[in-house]
Amino acid sequence: MGSFESSKKSEQRGRPPGKINASLNKKLQNIEWGEYRLIDVFTVRNTKNILSRDIVENSGNTPYLCASAENNAISTYISYDESYKDKGNCLFIGGKTFVVTYQKQDFYSNDSHNLILDLKNEKSKTKSSQLFMATCIIKSLGGKYTWGNSISYSKIQKDKVYFPTKKGEIDFAFMEKFIAELEDQRIAELEDQRIAELEAYLSVTGLKDTLLSCEEEQALREYSNLEWHTFNLEALFGKSTRGKRLKSADRVKGNLPFVTAGEANEGISDYIGNDVEIFSKNTTTIDMFGSAKYRNYNYGGDDHIAVVHTEKLPKFAAIFITTAIHKSSYTGKFNYSRNFYAKDADELNILLPTTNNKPNFEIMETLISAIQKIVIKNVVLYTDRKIQATKTAVSASNSIDSCNFKRKSLVK
């Protein structure tokens, strides 16, 4: 397949290894590399072109390519005259930037100076082999072409690139196997990272234990049999406290969370250093719309916030109370024209599980603990599904990103 010059291995090319494991790096160092003329390996041609002023962005499903390294050279997706479309399953080179990408789909191009490299060996014309070859082209020619000296159809006629070789022919089998192992390595790295991050988070937050205790299992089983009574909020926790107005212009930057009305960022509008009343953690806020939120930190609040003083309760019981409050207060009754205030909190009645006609804070605590464990377990399962989705994406995506980090290690 064209001119061939045998080259034993990578020392002659003097490129440092990149971020691949020792096993893969050793394989790159021990294979033979042959120098081939690109025009003997690929059919080279210029792309067709459509000027950017003539397209409508996001008007269709066909990639519109430019010479950018971002997003695998895809600028947008368009609908256009089919006669301007170039066939995919090829390598695409940005004529002015020397960005080399693999394109799975048929595409449109923004510049006729861009090049298509169509692999002549139809049997080996796979995504994996072309991703590997794209990296070889970058390593062999990347230092040659610049914006001021851009690649062109005429210049590429003389260009030679190093590819893995065996018995005088390009070793496509090696490329396929290498990319498969590289993908496996990347997936393993993602799994290790996910496990490490999740373990660290669960350890720091004290959420590592997702096994339900006997008491928690019993509480869940008997939930439907609980007795519930209505209780007045003021009778349970005393009068609620209203925050004080602090205009945005008067706020001093600091570390104290300042709570106002709204759902964004849990209602925290700023972090302040002003001398304001500081409300205790383990309390509940109700904003002007009746939305209740549990606070596990000290904070300040404006005049659209009512604070319910649940600080003497165990944490999980206080969270349960917050849920009960929200169910009673966030009914659509309160809005911009009819605000919820501290006096409304004092009049609020909430439904709670009871024993002997008294709130059973212990069962509330047990129920929330059980629910938390179930949620954390589901989060773990969710991340496992995301890893599986990543495996699928690595195998199916037409993006060259999956092999970006090996560019530094392949040698010409």
Side-chain angles (χ1 to χ4, degrees):
M1 183 182 289
S3 61
F4 163 74
E5 299 174 12
S6 180
S7 178
K8 175 60 181 172
K9 52 185 178 180
S10 62
E11 293 98 336
Q12 298 178 12
R13 289 169 291 279
R15 303 297 178 95
K19 295 181 180 179
I20 61 176
N21 66 31
S23 174
L24 289 177
N25 191 50
K26 186 176 181 180
K27 289 179 179 180
L28 288 177
Q29 293 174 346
N30 289 337
I31 61 167
E32 288 192 4
W33 295 80
E35 188 178 42
Y36 296 82
R37 290 196 307 168
L38 279 176
I39 59 172
D40 292 330
V41 181
F42 298 92
T43 298
V44 181
R45 64 180 183 275
N46 290 102
T47 65
K48 301 165 187 176
N49 77 294
I50 307 170
L51 297 178
S52 60
R53 69 189 181 199
D54 295 329
I55 69 165
V56 177
E57 292 187 0
N58 301 314
S59 59
N61 299 314
T62 304
Y64 177 69
L65 306 186
C66 58
S68 171
E70 300 296 323
N71 198 31
N72 205 48
I74 299 173
S75 172
T76 185
Y77 291 84
I78 66 171
S79 177
Y80 204 80
D81 186 340
E82 295 281 325
S83 65
Y84 285 86
K85 189 180 290 185
D86 288 298
K87 191 169 181 60
N89 193 25
C90 66
L91 296 183
F92 171 87
I93 301 180
K96 296 177 182 177
T97 60
F98 195 69
V99 169
V100 185
T101 59
Y102 168 73
Q103 298 298 328
K104 179 180 179 180
Q105 293 179 249
D106 296 350
F107 59 88
Y108 296 109
S109 172
N110 75 329
D111 193 333
S112 60
H113 289 97
N114 298 331
L115 298 175
I116 291 173
L117 274 61
D118 196 11
L119 187 62
K120 293 181 178 181
N121 189 325
E122 289 290 335
K123 183 179 179 181
S124 301
K125 197 176 180 180
T126 65
K127 173 189 173 183
S128 294
S129 63
Q130 291 182 84
L131 284 173
F132 194 109
M133 297 177 91
T135 303
C136 292
I137 292 170
I138 292 168
K139 295 301 294 183
S140 295
L141 304 178
K144 178 178 179 180
Y145 294 112
T146 62
W147 185 271
N149 178 33
S150 57
I151 195 170
S152 66
Y153 176 81
S154 60
K155 291 178 183 178
I156 204 173
Q157 303 299 313
K158 299 178 181 179
D159 284 332
K160 297 179 180 181
V161 173
Y162 284 93
F163 296 119
T165 187
K166 187 176 183 180
K167 296 180 181 180
E169 298 289 335
I170 294 178
D171 193 350
F172 289 103
F174 173 84
M175 296 188 217
E176 291 282 343
K177 186 176 180 182
F178 185 90
I179 292 296
E181 292 181 15
L182 189 64
E183 289 175 346
D184 288 343
Q185 175 192 323
R186 179 56 178 153
I187 290 168
E189 289 174 352
L190 289 172
E191 289 178 332
D192 290 343
Q193 179 182 349
R194 190 278 300 176
I195 292 170
E197 290 178 350
L198 189 59
E199 286 286 334
Y201 174 78
L202 295 179
S203 295
V204 169
T205 55
L207 300 176
K208 286 193 70 172
D209 179 18
T210 60
L211 184 65
L212 294 178
S213 67
C214 294
E215 291 79 6
E216 290 164 345
E217 289 182 346
Q218 182 179 354
L220 292 174
R221 283 196 307 267
E222 297 179 355
Y223 180 81
S224 59
N225 297 323
L226 291 174
E227 289 189 12
W228 297 76
H229 290 166
T230 299
F231 296 89
N232 174 259
L233 207 57
E234 182 181 356
L236 288 174
F237 306 111
K239 284 191 172 295
S240 298
T241 305
R242 183 181 180 182
K244 292 184 179 180
R245 178 168 298 187
L246 182 64
K247 296 179 180 178
S248 298
D250 297 329
R251 296 174 191 172
V252 177
K253 289 296 180 183
N255 299 316
L256 182 70
F258 190 68
V259 178
T260 58
E263 300 302 315
N265 198 27
E266 292 294 298
I268 298 174
S269 64
D270 210 341
Y271 289 85
I272 64 171
N274 301 71
D275 183 15
V276 298
E277 181 177 2
I278 298 177
F279 298 107
S280 174
K281 64 181 180 180
N282 201 43
T283 52
T284 298
T285 61
I286 312 174
D287 71 10
M288 60 187 284
F289 306 110
S291 180
K293 294 179 179 62
Y294 172 76
R295 308 289 173 183
N296 63 343
Y297 45 82
N298 295 336
Y299 59 96
D302 77 354
D303 58 341
H304 289 123
I305 295 298
V307 178
V308 181
H309 296 280
T310 57
E311 53 261 58
K312 293 183 180 180
L313 290 178
K315 175 182 176 180
F316 288 159
I319 293 174
F320 192 105
I321 293 295
T322 302
T323 304
I325 292 172
H326 188 81
K327 188 172 182 179
S328 294
S329 61
Y330 198 62
T331 60
K333 176 181 178 181
F334 301 99
N335 48 49
Y336 284 106
S337 60
R338 170 64 171 96
N339 294 174
F340 186 101
Y341 291 118
K343 62 180 179 62
D344 297 300
D346 294 338
E347 296 172 359
L348 195 67
N349 294 319
I350 60 175
L351 197 62
L352 299 176
T354 63
T355 298
N356 298 324
N357 297 324
K358 294 182 179 180
N360 188 336
F361 295 113
E362 184 176 348
I363 194 67
M364 299 180 206
E365 187 177 5
T366 303
L367 284 168
I368 294 298
S369 176
I371 292 169
Q372 177 177 263
K373 288 181 178 180
I374 292 171
V375 170
I376 293 301
K377 185 176 181 179
N378 287 336
V379 169
V380 174
L381 293 174
Y382 169 77
T383 55
D384 287 340
R385 289 194 294 269
K386 293 289 285 185
I387 288 295
Q388 184 58 45
T390 301
K391 291 179 181 179
T392 302
V394 168
S395 299
S397 171
N398 71 339
S399 173
I400 199 171
D401 289 345
S402 62
C403 67
N404 273 348
F405 64 95
K406 73 178 184 303
R407 290 178 175 172
K408 296 180 181 179
S409 57
L410 289 182
V411 289
K412 66 177 184 178

